[in-house]
Amino acid sequence: MRPAGMVARRGRLVPLFDHNALIVAIARSADREAFAKLFDHFAPRVKGLLMKAGTPAELAEEVAQETLLTVWRKASLFDPSKASAGTWIATIARNLRIDIARRETRSRLSQVYEILDEDGPEQPDAAVSGAERDVLVRAAMTQLSPDQYRVVELAFIEGFSHQDVAKRLAIPLGTVKSRLRLALSHLRGRLEDLR
Amino acid sequence: MSVAHRPTDETLAAFATGQLDEGLALVVATHLERDAASRERVRDFQSAQGALLDAAVPVAMVGGAGDVLARDPDAAPVGKADHVPEIGLPRVLQPYALGPWRPIGIKIAMRRVDVPGAEARVFMLRAGPGVALPHHKHSGLEWTTILSGAYEHQYGRFAAGDFDEADAEHEHTPRVDAIEGCTCIAAVTGNILFQGWLGRLLQPLVRL
Protein backbone atom coordinates (compact mmCIF):
# COMPACT_ATOMS: atom_id res chain seq x y z
CA MET A 1 0.00 0.00 0.00
CA ARG A 2 1.30 3.40 -0.84
CA PRO A 3 0.11 6.61 0.79
CA ALA A 4 -2.52 8.62 -1.08
CA GLY A 5 -1.05 11.25 -3.38
CA MET A 6 2.15 9.34 -3.98
CA VAL A 7 3.30 7.34 -6.93
CA ALA A 8 6.17 4.85 -7.19
CA ARG A 9 8.88 5.85 -9.62
CA ARG A 10 12.14 3.94 -9.91
CA GLY A 11 11.51 2.30 -6.57
CA ARG A 12 10.97 5.54 -4.69
CA LEU A 13 7.77 7.21 -3.65
CA VAL A 14 7.50 10.65 -5.20
CA PRO A 15 4.69 13.14 -4.81
CA LEU A 16 2.10 13.35 -7.55
CA PHE A 17 1.52 17.06 -7.15
CA ASP A 18 3.90 19.61 -8.58
CA HIS A 19 5.60 21.66 -5.88
CA ASN A 20 6.11 24.64 -8.15
CA ALA A 21 2.37 24.72 -8.85
CA LEU A 22 1.62 24.65 -5.12
CA ILE A 23 3.73 27.76 -4.55
CA VAL A 24 2.05 29.51 -7.47
CA ALA A 25 -1.35 28.60 -5.98
CA ILE A 26 -0.32 30.17 -2.66
CA ALA A 27 0.81 33.33 -4.46
CA ARG A 28 -2.42 33.58 -6.48
CA SER A 29 -5.05 32.83 -3.89
CA ALA A 30 -3.43 32.27 -0.46
CA ASP A 31 -4.37 28.61 -0.95
CA ARG A 32 -4.14 26.99 2.50
CA GLU A 33 -4.58 23.50 1.16
CA ALA A 34 -1.63 23.96 -1.18
CA PHE A 35 0.37 25.32 1.76
CA ALA A 36 -0.47 22.28 3.90
CA LYS A 37 0.78 19.93 1.17
CA LEU A 38 3.95 21.93 0.71
CA PHE A 39 4.49 22.08 4.47
CA ASP A 40 4.01 18.35 4.95
CA HIS A 41 6.53 17.62 2.21
CA PHE A 42 9.26 20.18 2.86
CA ALA A 43 9.17 21.03 6.59
CA PRO A 44 10.19 17.49 7.71
CA ARG A 45 12.92 17.44 5.05
CA VAL A 46 14.35 20.81 6.09
CA LYS A 47 14.32 19.54 9.66
CA GLY A 48 15.92 16.22 8.66
CA LEU A 49 18.66 17.87 6.63
CA LEU A 50 19.53 20.28 9.44
CA MET A 51 19.57 17.55 12.08
CA LYS A 52 21.83 15.46 9.89
CA ALA A 53 24.22 18.41 9.80
CA GLY A 54 24.24 18.43 13.62
CA THR A 55 21.59 21.07 14.35
CA PRO A 56 19.70 20.32 17.59
CA ALA A 57 16.10 19.09 17.02
CA GLU A 58 14.46 22.13 18.61
CA LEU A 59 16.41 24.60 16.47
CA ALA A 60 15.87 22.49 13.34
CA GLU A 61 12.11 22.52 14.05
CA GLU A 62 12.17 26.32 14.43
CA VAL A 63 14.11 26.84 11.19
CA ALA A 64 11.79 24.43 9.33
CA GLN A 65 8.66 26.24 10.56
CA GLU A 66 10.08 29.67 9.76
CA THR A 67 11.20 28.45 6.34
CA LEU A 68 7.70 27.35 5.37
CA LEU A 69 6.16 30.50 6.86
CA THR A 70 8.55 32.50 4.66
CA VAL A 71 7.43 30.46 1.66
CA TRP A 72 3.86 31.49 2.49
CA ARG A 73 4.83 35.15 2.78
CA LYS A 74 7.08 35.34 -0.23
CA ALA A 75 5.29 32.96 -2.59
CA SER A 76 4.71 35.81 -5.03
CA LEU A 77 8.48 36.25 -5.39
CA PHE A 78 8.98 32.63 -6.47
CA ASP A 79 10.10 32.40 -10.10
CA PRO A 80 9.99 28.80 -11.39
CA SER A 81 12.24 29.75 -14.32
CA LYS A 82 15.03 30.70 -11.89
CA ALA A 83 14.93 27.69 -9.59
CA SER A 84 12.80 24.71 -8.64
CA ALA A 85 10.75 24.72 -5.43
CA GLY A 86 13.38 22.58 -3.68
CA THR A 87 16.27 24.90 -4.55
CA TRP A 88 14.31 28.02 -3.63
CA ILE A 89 13.24 26.56 -0.29
CA ALA A 90 16.79 25.35 0.43
CA THR A 91 18.12 28.91 0.05
CA ILE A 92 15.36 30.26 2.32
CA ALA A 93 16.27 27.63 4.92
CA ARG A 94 19.94 28.57 4.66
CA ASN A 95 19.18 32.27 5.19
CA LEU A 96 16.95 31.58 8.18
CA ARG A 97 19.46 29.24 9.74
CA ILE A 98 22.02 32.07 9.54
CA ASP A 99 19.54 34.63 10.91
CA ILE A 100 18.59 32.40 13.82
CA ALA A 101 22.10 31.12 14.59
CA ARG A 102 23.58 34.64 14.44
CA ARG A 103 20.59 36.37 16.04
CA GLU A 104 22.58 37.85 18.93
CA THR A 105 25.11 39.45 16.63
CA ARG A 106 22.50 41.09 14.36
CA SER A 107 23.83 39.35 11.28
CA ARG A 108 22.92 40.96 7.97
CA LEU A 109 24.23 38.16 5.83
CA SER A 110 20.81 36.95 4.71
CA GLN A 111 20.14 40.46 3.33
CA VAL A 112 23.36 40.15 1.33
CA TYR A 113 22.14 36.87 -0.18
CA GLU A 114 18.82 38.50 -1.02
CA ILE A 115 20.50 41.44 -2.76
CA LEU A 116 22.54 39.02 -4.87
CA ASP A 117 19.47 36.94 -5.70
CA GLU A 118 17.62 40.01 -7.01
CA ASP A 119 19.74 39.77 -10.14
CA GLY A 120 18.26 37.69 -12.88
CA PRO A 121 20.60 35.76 -15.15
CA GLU A 122 22.57 38.55 -16.80
CA GLN A 123 23.69 36.60 -19.82
CA PRO A 124 20.30 35.55 -21.14
CA ASP A 125 21.90 33.84 -24.13
CA ALA A 126 24.53 31.94 -22.22
CA ALA A 127 22.94 31.18 -18.88
CA VAL A 128 21.15 27.94 -18.19
CA SER A 129 17.67 28.63 -16.86
CA GLY A 130 17.42 27.77 -13.19
CA ALA A 131 14.86 25.09 -13.89
CA GLU A 132 17.07 23.38 -16.49
CA ARG A 133 20.02 23.59 -14.14
CA ASP A 134 18.03 21.92 -11.37
CA VAL A 135 16.96 19.04 -13.61
CA LEU A 136 20.53 18.46 -14.76
CA VAL A 137 22.11 18.77 -11.33
CA ARG A 138 19.58 16.31 -9.89
CA ALA A 139 20.20 13.83 -12.68
CA ALA A 140 23.97 14.17 -12.32
CA MET A 141 23.81 13.71 -8.54
CA THR A 142 22.08 10.35 -8.87
CA GLN A 143 25.11 9.20 -10.87
CA LEU A 144 27.67 10.06 -8.20
CA SER A 145 29.26 7.15 -6.38
CA PRO A 146 28.30 6.88 -2.67
CA ASP A 147 31.80 8.10 -1.77
CA GLN A 148 31.50 11.14 -4.01
CA TYR A 149 27.98 11.81 -2.78
CA ARG A 150 29.17 11.85 0.84
CA VAL A 151 31.93 14.42 0.22
CA VAL A 152 29.52 16.55 -1.82
CA GLU A 153 27.04 16.42 1.04
CA LEU A 154 29.60 17.41 3.69
CA ALA A 155 31.23 20.15 1.61
CA PHE A 156 28.19 21.64 -0.11
CA ILE A 157 25.46 21.20 2.48
CA GLU A 158 27.18 21.19 5.77
CA GLY A 159 29.80 23.62 4.49
CA PHE A 160 32.83 21.87 5.96
CA SER A 161 36.27 22.87 4.72
CA HIS A 162 38.12 20.19 2.78
CA GLN A 163 40.33 19.71 5.83
CA ASP A 164 37.33 19.05 8.08
CA VAL A 165 35.72 16.70 5.55
CA ALA A 166 38.97 14.69 5.55
CA LYS A 167 38.94 14.56 9.36
CA ARG A 168 35.29 13.48 9.58
CA LEU A 169 35.61 10.73 7.01
CA ALA A 170 39.12 9.76 8.15
CA ILE A 171 40.46 9.91 4.61
CA PRO A 172 43.45 11.85 3.26
CA LEU A 173 42.94 15.49 2.24
CA GLY A 174 44.10 14.63 -1.28
CA THR A 175 41.31 12.06 -1.58
CA VAL A 176 38.71 14.64 -0.53
CA LYS A 177 40.00 17.10 -3.08
CA SER A 178 40.10 14.55 -5.92
CA ARG A 179 36.58 13.23 -5.11
CA LEU A 180 35.16 16.75 -5.04
CA ARG A 181 36.96 17.66 -8.23
CA LEU A 182 35.55 14.58 -9.97
CA ALA A 183 32.05 15.20 -8.63
CA LEU A 184 32.17 18.86 -9.67
CA SER A 185 33.52 18.16 -13.13
CA HIS A 186 30.75 15.56 -13.53
CA LEU A 187 28.07 18.08 -12.45
CA ARG A 188 29.56 20.86 -14.55
CA GLY A 189 30.05 18.59 -17.55
CA ARG A 190 26.30 18.07 -17.61
CA LEU A 191 25.73 21.82 -17.52
CA GLU A 192 28.36 22.80 -20.08
CA ASP A 193 26.29 21.56 -23.00
CA LEU A 194 23.62 24.10 -22.20
CA ARG A 195 25.90 27.05 -21.51
CA MET B 1 37.24 44.57 -18.81
CA SER B 2 36.92 41.00 -17.72
CA VAL B 3 37.48 39.29 -14.44
CA ALA B 4 40.67 37.21 -14.31
CA HIS B 5 40.84 36.07 -10.68
CA ARG B 6 37.95 34.25 -9.03
CA PRO B 7 37.35 32.51 -5.69
CA THR B 8 38.10 28.79 -5.44
CA ASP B 9 35.28 26.24 -5.49
CA GLU B 10 35.92 25.62 -1.80
CA THR B 11 35.33 29.29 -1.03
CA LEU B 12 32.22 29.55 -3.22
CA ALA B 13 30.76 26.37 -1.70
CA ALA B 14 31.38 27.74 1.80
CA PHE B 15 29.67 30.98 0.72
CA ALA B 16 26.72 29.11 -0.79
CA THR B 17 26.22 27.04 2.37
CA GLY B 18 26.35 30.13 4.59
CA GLN B 19 29.31 28.83 6.58
CA LEU B 20 31.76 31.66 5.87
CA ASP B 21 32.58 34.27 8.44
CA GLU B 22 30.34 37.25 7.62
CA GLY B 23 33.29 39.59 6.95
CA LEU B 24 34.87 37.17 4.48
CA ALA B 25 31.45 36.45 2.96
CA LEU B 26 30.87 40.16 2.35
CA VAL B 27 34.05 40.47 0.29
CA VAL B 28 33.07 37.35 -1.70
CA ALA B 29 29.60 38.89 -2.22
CA THR B 30 31.18 42.10 -3.54
CA HIS B 31 32.98 40.00 -6.16
CA LEU B 32 29.79 38.07 -6.96
CA GLU B 33 27.85 41.29 -7.49
CA ARG B 34 30.30 42.09 -10.31
CA ASP B 35 30.93 38.70 -11.83
CA ALA B 36 28.17 36.69 -13.51
CA ALA B 37 30.42 33.64 -14.02
CA SER B 38 31.07 33.22 -10.29
CA ARG B 39 27.36 33.80 -9.58
CA GLU B 40 26.60 30.91 -11.92
CA ARG B 41 28.96 28.67 -9.95
CA VAL B 42 27.27 29.65 -6.69
CA ARG B 43 23.90 28.80 -8.25
CA ASP B 44 25.26 25.36 -9.17
CA PHE B 45 26.00 24.79 -5.49
CA GLN B 46 22.57 26.09 -4.49
CA SER B 47 21.01 23.74 -7.00
CA ALA B 48 22.96 20.83 -5.46
CA GLN B 49 21.66 21.95 -2.06
CA GLY B 50 18.12 21.86 -3.43
CA ALA B 51 18.71 18.35 -4.74
CA LEU B 52 19.98 17.24 -1.34
CA LEU B 53 16.92 18.80 0.31
CA ASP B 54 14.62 16.89 -2.02
CA ALA B 55 16.52 13.69 -1.16
CA ALA B 56 16.64 14.39 2.60
CA VAL B 57 15.23 11.85 5.07
CA PRO B 58 12.19 13.54 6.65
CA VAL B 59 12.02 13.99 10.43
CA ALA B 60 8.51 14.37 11.90
CA MET B 61 7.56 17.94 12.75
CA VAL B 62 6.11 18.92 16.13
CA GLY B 63 4.14 21.82 14.63
CA GLY B 64 1.95 21.57 11.53
CA ALA B 65 1.01 23.86 8.68
CA GLY B 66 -2.06 25.12 10.57
CA ASP B 67 -0.05 26.04 13.67
CA VAL B 68 2.40 28.05 11.63
CA LEU B 69 -0.27 30.05 9.82
CA ALA B 70 -2.29 30.55 13.01
CA ARG B 71 0.79 32.00 14.68
CA ASP B 72 1.19 34.60 11.97
CA PRO B 73 -2.04 34.87 9.98
CA ASP B 74 -1.28 37.79 7.71
CA ALA B 75 2.42 38.30 8.07
CA ALA B 76 3.73 41.25 6.12
CA PRO B 77 6.46 40.70 3.57
CA VAL B 78 9.93 41.18 5.00
CA GLY B 79 11.17 44.77 4.71
CA LYS B 80 14.21 46.06 2.84
CA ALA B 81 17.34 47.65 4.22
CA ASP B 82 16.36 50.57 6.40
CA HIS B 83 18.67 53.34 5.28
CA VAL B 84 19.24 55.17 2.02
CA PRO B 85 22.07 53.54 0.06
CA GLU B 86 25.12 55.60 -0.76
CA ILE B 87 25.61 56.11 -4.48
CA GLY B 88 28.56 54.31 -6.06
CA LEU B 89 28.93 51.69 -3.32
CA PRO B 90 28.43 47.98 -4.00
CA ARG B 91 24.80 47.11 -3.30
CA VAL B 92 25.76 44.26 -0.98
CA LEU B 93 27.21 46.86 1.42
CA GLN B 94 23.79 48.50 1.85
CA PRO B 95 22.90 46.63 5.06
CA TYR B 96 26.11 47.75 6.79
CA ALA B 97 27.30 50.92 8.49
CA LEU B 98 30.47 52.45 7.07
CA GLY B 99 32.87 54.82 8.75
CA PRO B 100 34.27 57.94 7.08
CA TRP B 101 37.33 57.84 4.82
CA ARG B 102 40.41 58.42 6.94
CA PRO B 103 43.82 59.22 5.46
CA ILE B 104 46.39 56.74 6.75
CA GLY B 105 49.38 57.86 4.72
CA ILE B 106 50.34 59.74 1.62
CA LYS B 107 47.74 59.01 -1.06
CA ILE B 108 46.23 56.17 1.03
CA ALA B 109 42.86 56.29 2.78
CA MET B 110 40.87 53.70 4.65
CA ARG B 111 37.23 53.30 5.51
CA ARG B 112 35.89 50.86 8.09
CA VAL B 113 32.94 48.58 7.29
CA ASP B 114 31.14 47.58 10.46
CA VAL B 115 30.19 43.88 10.25
CA PRO B 116 28.69 42.92 13.63
CA GLY B 117 29.68 39.48 14.85
CA ALA B 118 32.31 38.90 12.17
CA GLU B 119 35.69 37.55 13.09
CA ALA B 120 37.31 39.23 10.08
CA ARG B 121 37.80 42.99 10.05
CA VAL B 122 36.48 44.59 6.90
CA PHE B 123 37.64 47.85 5.37
CA MET B 124 37.79 49.72 2.10
CA LEU B 125 41.15 50.98 0.96
CA ARG B 126 41.78 53.72 -1.58
CA ALA B 127 45.28 54.35 -2.91
CA GLY B 128 46.49 56.89 -5.43
CA PRO B 129 48.25 56.04 -8.70
CA GLY B 130 51.61 54.32 -8.35
CA VAL B 131 51.48 53.87 -4.58
CA ALA B 132 53.38 50.84 -3.30
CA LEU B 133 51.46 49.34 -0.42
CA PRO B 134 53.82 48.28 2.34
CA HIS B 135 55.30 44.82 2.08
CA HIS B 136 53.33 42.57 4.39
CA LYS B 137 52.40 39.04 5.33
CA HIS B 138 49.46 37.63 7.27
CA SER B 139 48.88 35.42 10.23
CA GLY B 140 45.41 34.69 8.85
CA LEU B 141 43.46 35.32 5.66
CA GLU B 142 43.31 38.47 3.56
CA TRP B 143 40.59 38.40 0.93
CA THR B 144 40.18 41.38 -1.37
CA THR B 145 37.79 42.42 -4.12
CA ILE B 146 38.91 45.24 -6.40
CA LEU B 147 36.21 47.89 -6.85
CA SER B 148 38.02 50.17 -9.30
CA GLY B 149 41.49 50.64 -10.71
CA ALA B 150 44.03 47.87 -10.19
CA TYR B 151 47.07 46.65 -8.29
CA GLU B 152 49.74 44.18 -9.11
CA HIS B 153 51.93 41.85 -7.05
CA GLN B 154 53.90 38.68 -7.67
CA TYR B 155 50.67 36.64 -8.10
CA GLY B 156 49.37 38.79 -10.95
CA ARG B 157 47.44 41.92 -11.83
CA PHE B 158 44.12 42.42 -10.04
CA ALA B 159 41.63 44.81 -11.65
CA ALA B 160 38.00 45.82 -11.03
CA GLY B 161 35.88 42.78 -10.12
CA ASP B 162 38.85 40.51 -9.39
CA PHE B 163 39.04 38.52 -6.18
CA ASP B 164 42.39 38.09 -4.42
CA GLU B 165 42.42 35.18 -1.96
CA ALA B 166 45.60 35.39 0.12
CA ASP B 167 46.32 33.12 3.08
CA ALA B 168 49.02 32.93 5.73
CA GLU B 169 51.55 31.65 3.23
CA HIS B 170 51.36 34.75 1.03
CA GLU B 171 53.75 37.60 1.50
CA HIS B 172 53.35 40.48 -0.90
CA THR B 173 53.98 44.08 -1.86
CA PRO B 174 51.04 45.25 -3.98
CA ARG B 175 51.81 48.12 -6.35
CA VAL B 176 48.86 50.27 -7.34
CA ASP B 177 48.15 51.02 -11.01
CA ALA B 178 50.15 54.04 -12.15
CA ILE B 179 47.22 55.74 -13.86
CA GLU B 180 43.98 54.60 -12.31
CA GLY B 181 44.93 54.09 -8.66
CA CYS B 182 42.93 51.48 -6.80
CA THR B 183 39.93 51.16 -4.53
CA CYS B 184 39.27 47.79 -2.94
CA ILE B 185 37.43 46.12 -0.10
CA ALA B 186 39.28 43.64 2.09
CA ALA B 187 38.52 41.27 4.95
CA VAL B 188 41.35 40.23 7.19
CA THR B 189 41.53 37.59 9.91
CA GLY B 190 44.41 37.35 12.33
CA ASN B 191 47.04 40.04 11.98
CA ILE B 192 48.64 41.75 9.05
CA LEU B 193 52.35 41.99 9.69
CA PHE B 194 53.87 44.98 7.96
CA GLN B 195 57.50 45.56 7.35
CA GLY B 196 59.33 48.84 6.75
CA TRP B 197 58.74 52.37 8.02
CA LEU B 198 55.31 52.84 6.40
CA GLY B 199 54.32 49.45 7.74
CA ARG B 200 55.16 50.42 11.27
CA LEU B 201 53.05 53.52 10.76
CA LEU B 202 50.12 51.49 9.46
CA GLN B 203 50.32 48.71 12.03
CA PRO B 204 48.26 50.40 14.77
CA LEU B 205 45.72 51.68 12.25
CA VAL B 206 44.76 48.38 10.63
CA ARG B 207 43.95 46.93 14.02
CA LEU B 208 40.81 49.08 13.56
Side-chain angles (χ1 to χ4, degrees):
Chain A
M1 276 300 283
R2 65 177 73 119
M6 305 288 274
V7 62
R9 192 188 296 160
R10 276 191 288 155
R12 282 179 52 219
L13 290 178
V14 294
L16 262 178
F17 41 81
D18 175 0
H19 296 130
N20 292 7
L22 293 177
I23 300 177
V24 172
I26 294 170
R28 284 218 185 108
S29 56
D31 185 335
R32 286 172 175 259
E33 210 170 300
F35 180 70
K37 283 180 186 163
L38 209 60
F39 188 97
D40 291 343
H41 179 78
F42 279 108
R45 281 173 173 76
V46 170
K47 187 176 179 181
L49 200 61
L50 287 168
M51 286 178 66
K52 197 173 176 201
T55 307
E58 207 174 306
L59 183 59
E61 168 89 17
E62 184 186 356
V63 175
Q65 287 194 17
E66 289 299 319
T67 298
L68 271 294
L69 182 59
T70 303
V71 168
W72 171 262
R73 288 178 188 167
K74 294 193 173 177
S76 63
L77 300 179
F78 174 63
D79 177 356
S81 73
K82 272 172 80 175
S84 70
T87 297
W88 188 60
I89 291 172
T91 60
I92 291 174
R94 173 201 62 193
N95 293 357
L96 285 166
R97 185 179 50 71
I98 293 170
D99 280 349
I100 291 170
R102 303 186 188 180
R103 191 151 41 197
E104 293 77 30
T105 63
R106 298 173 294 125
S107 168
R108 287 140 169 105
L109 192 51
S110 63
Q111 293 177 49
V112 170
Y113 286 111
E114 279 166 16
I115 290 169
L116 286 175
D117 280 342
E118 283 163 13
D119 294 338
E122 272 158 42
Q123 302 162 304
D125 304 332
V128 181
S129 90
E132 286 170 325
R133 184 205 314 272
D134 277 341
V135 169
L136 288 169
V137 166
R138 276 164 179 69
M141 288 199 31
T142 63
Q143 293 163 354
L144 295 178
S145 72
D147 283 346
Q148 283 175 341
Y149 194 90
R150 188 66 188 131
V151 291
V152 164
E153 205 172 22
L154 285 171
F156 300 165
I157 294 303
E158 305 181 22
F160 286 106
S161 70
H162 295 180
Q163 196 82 54
D164 288 339
V165 174
K167 247 183 249 161
R168 279 183 71 114
L169 298 179
I171 54 176
L173 180 61
T175 309
V176 172
K177 286 185 184 293
S178 66
R179 277 183 199 166
L180 277 176
R181 200 161 43 232
L182 275 171
L184 268 182
S185 72
H186 177 66
L187 294 178
R188 295 236 162 87
R190 299 292 299 261
L191 293 163
E192 285 311 310
D193 302 340
L194 275 165
R195 283 201 177 135
Chain B
M1 178 177 65
S2 71
V3 169
H5 302 277
R6 298 193 162 91
T8 60
D9 277 325
E10 186 173 11
T11 295
L12 289 181
F15 178 85
T17 54
Q19 296 292 344
L20 273 186
D21 174 78
E22 189 161 343
L24 296 170
L26 185 57
V27 173
V28 174
T30 311
H31 162 77
L32 290 170
E33 183 176 327
R34 284 157 177 262
D35 185 50
S38 289
R39 277 205 303 282
E40 287 295 295
R41 285 162 69 208
V42 168
R43 293 202 171 119
D44 289 346
F45 290 123
Q46 288 175 346
S47 181
Q49 286 162 20
L52 287 170
L53 174 62
D54 283 337
V57 178
V59 171
M61 292 289 290
V62 178
D67 303 328
V68 169
L69 290 189
R71 183 155 52 85
D72 208 346
D74 39 20
V78 178
K80 288 277 158 207
D82 46 0
H83 55 268
V84 183
E86 194 179 313
I87 292 167
L89 276 186
R91 288 184 300 125
V92 292
L93 291 183
Q94 284 168 16
Y96 298 91
L98 279 78
W101 282 107
R102 283 187 304 161
I104 57 167
I106 298 165
K107 295 206 285 184
I108 305 181
M110 182 184 254
R111 184 174 194 187
R112 208 169 93 97
V113 181
D114 183 22
V115 184
E119 188 204 332
R121 288 150 301 159
V122 183
F123 52 90
M124 292 172 72
L125 195 69
R126 187 172 65 196
V131 167
L133 297 173
H135 184 78
H136 64 277
K137 55 187 176 183
H138 322 107
S139 67
L141 304 171
E142 181 191 77
W143 291 2
T144 308
T145 293
I146 316 302
L147 300 174
S148 67
Y151 65 65
E152 203 173 321
H153 52 59
Q154 61 267 47
Y155 302 99
R157 180 181 158 85
F158 293 78
D162 277 329
F163 182 78
D164 189 0
E165 194 167 338
D167 60 24
E169 284 148 35
H170 288 64
E171 190 171 328
H172 55 207
T173 313
R175 178 167 286 279
V176 172
D177 186 271
I179 294 160
E180 296 176 87
C182 185
T183 303
C184 58
I185 180 167
V188 173
T189 65
N191 288 310
I192 306 182
L193 309 163
F194 287 109
Q195 279 111 6
W197 66 272
L198 181 53
R200 282 193 294 278
L201 211 66
L202 276 175
Q203 197 74 71
L205 293 166
V206 294
R207 226 167 273 138
L208 297 170

